[in-house]
Each structure stands twice: as C-alpha cells, then as structure tokens.
Amino acid sequence: MSQGIADGAPADARRERPIRVVLVDDQALFRAGVRMLLTSQPDLEVVGEAGDGREGVEVVRRTRPDVVLMDVRMPVMDGLSATAELLQDPNAPRIVMLTTFDLDEAAARAIRQGASGFLLKDADPEFLLAAIRSVHAGSEVIAASATRALFAHFAEPARPVPAVYDELTDREKEIFALAARGLSNGEIAAREYLSESTVKTHVSRILTKLALRDRVQLVVFAFEHGLV
C-alpha cells in the first residue's frame, strides 16, 4: 500500500485535545496491539473498543470519538452494516475501515457509503498513526494510490455529471482534479504555486458545493461520474 502521508505528531499536539479513537475489531490481540501503539502517542487517546459491530455502534454513540477504526468482517454485525448505521447519526465520526487485503469490495462499499478510507491490518505502525491524524485533519486521502486502485478495480458504470459540478469555478475544477488524484493540500499548493491555506479554502468550498463529506468522498464522486 502506498504510504503517502507525512508521519509524526503535530508540533503543538501536546497543547491540543487528543484525537479520540474507538477500536472495533473481533480480534482481542489486534486491538491490544493497536491500543498500546495509540496510547504511546501524546496526541491520541483510545476512548473505547468493541469486539463486534453491534457493540461498536453502542460504544461509538456513548463515547463520541473523532475517529473509528472499524474492521470489515466481524460477528453479530459486520463493519459495513455498523458503518452505515453510524453514518446516519448527526456529527458522525470519521470511520476508517480495516481489512486484510487491498482489493476488498466491502471496503469499497463502505467508502461509497461515507467511510473516510481504509487501511490494511498489517500496515506499518507509523503509517497507522499518520492515517489517523490525516483523517482527523481532513488534509489528504490516506493511502491515496491504493484507494484509487480500489475504485478502479470495482468500477461501476459512470453516472452523468450532475449540474452542481458546473457551479465550480475553473480554478476549483483544477483543484478538484488534483484532489481526486489523491494529492494533499501541500502537494497541490506546490504544483499550483498557491499557499496551503488557499488550497484548503478551495477544497472546503468544493466539498460544500458538491455536498461531500470529505476528500475521500471527492475521490468517489470523481470515479462515479467519470471525472478521473
């Protein structure tokens, strides 16, 4: 999996509220390992965990985390169903699907529903940490090349481009195209000779105009409408 995320905690992480994380996975040993990793970081806090999707929904609603790591396949209720249920809630958390292989159709379906990305369960620890921070910040698509490969593999017939897309300015369409390729704010800024704050503003406006939840949904939108 491509690891296109700069790792390391933000310089001011110690002064900010930690990112609250819930782990939902039926393998207790896996949860324990991830919990140990996350609790070693000053800017991350594990506020709950669960061994199946139904329990996961209850824990998430009780603890109100920022980010959920959700296994795709679990007993009682799988990660796909749990994710769909949680994303109906107001102010739903960012949900990252955990899977054992790159081309997982269930992960693709979860992302189309509104999940914020996916990670392989054997990802390097540094990449997992960076992914959580990146999803929380909303600054880039985690594992961008792998995410694009996932949607290319499970491609569906392109839908007509909605009229709302034409409401984007020419500059916004340029930024949209680069973001759809998985480029981060910093990469887009360097390519377009803009400041990162300007790119962030453009991306925010694009997401608002297209009624998209986050950058990974922008990638989904681009694939679904043949804009990549």
Side-chain angles (χ1 to χ4, degrees):
M1 177 182 292
S2 172
Q3 299 190 2
I5 305 175
D7 57 17
D12 58 349
R14 293 180 183 275
R15 297 194 298 273
E16 297 179 349
R17 180 177 72 84
I19 300 170
R20 295 162 55 81
V21 182
V22 163
L23 312 175
V24 186
D25 191 287
D26 63 332
Q27 297 178 347
L29 187 59
F30 177 80
R31 292 201 314 272
V34 174
R35 183 175 64 250
M36 288 179 61
L37 174 66
L38 269 55
T39 54
S40 72
Q41 304 297 304
D43 62 326
L44 302 176
E45 178 185 9
V46 177
V47 296
E49 55 184 275
D52 62 68
R54 172 50 59 199
E55 182 187 6
V57 169
E58 295 170 356
V59 170
V60 169
R61 287 175 172 165
R62 184 175 69 248
T63 60
R64 301 179 64 84
D66 301 304
V67 178
V68 179
L69 299 181
M70 178 79 73
D71 192 15
V72 169
R73 291 167 180 82
M74 293 179 289
V76 184
M77 174 186 282
D78 63 25
L80 194 63
S81 299
T83 295
E85 187 166 329
L86 286 170
L87 289 174
Q88 295 176 15
D89 294 348
N91 302 314
R94 306 289 187 187
I95 301 177
V96 178
M97 309 308 296
L98 300 173
T99 182
T100 54
F101 54 97
D102 293 57
L103 299 178
D104 189 333
E105 186 175 11
R109 289 171 58 198
I111 292 172
R112 284 194 171 98
Q113 290 177 172
S116 295
F118 81 104
L119 286 169
L120 293 181
K121 295 181 75 171
D122 63 355
D124 291 340
E126 295 80 5
F127 186 65
L128 173 62
L129 295 173
I132 293 170
R133 293 169 180 137
S134 180
V135 165
H136 181 253
S139 59
E140 56 192 289
V141 176
I142 60 173
S145 62
T147 298
R148 287 172 53 82
L150 181 70
F151 285 103
H153 185 79
F154 296 109
E156 298 179 351
R159 305 175 189 173
V161 178
V164 68
Y165 177 77
D166 290 326
E167 295 179 11
L168 301 182
T169 65
D170 289 342
R171 170 59 93 179
E172 287 169 348
K173 287 180 179 178
E174 291 174 4
I175 301 294
F176 172 94
L178 295 173
R181 288 167 50 190
L183 273 66
S184 67
N185 287 350
E187 291 168 333
I188 295 172
R191 187 183 183 101
E192 296 296 303
Y193 303 101
L194 299 169
S195 69
E196 285 196 44
S197 61
T198 298
V199 172
K200 183 177 180 180
T201 298
H202 279 304
V203 171
S204 179
R205 288 174 179 168
I206 292 166
L207 295 177
T208 298
K209 287 183 178 181
L210 300 180
L212 300 174
R213 175 175 166 80
D214 54 30
R215 295 175 77 104
V216 75
Q217 294 305 309
L218 186 152
V219 175
V220 173
F221 182 97
F223 271 95
E224 288 184 339
H225 298 97
L227 296 170
V228 289

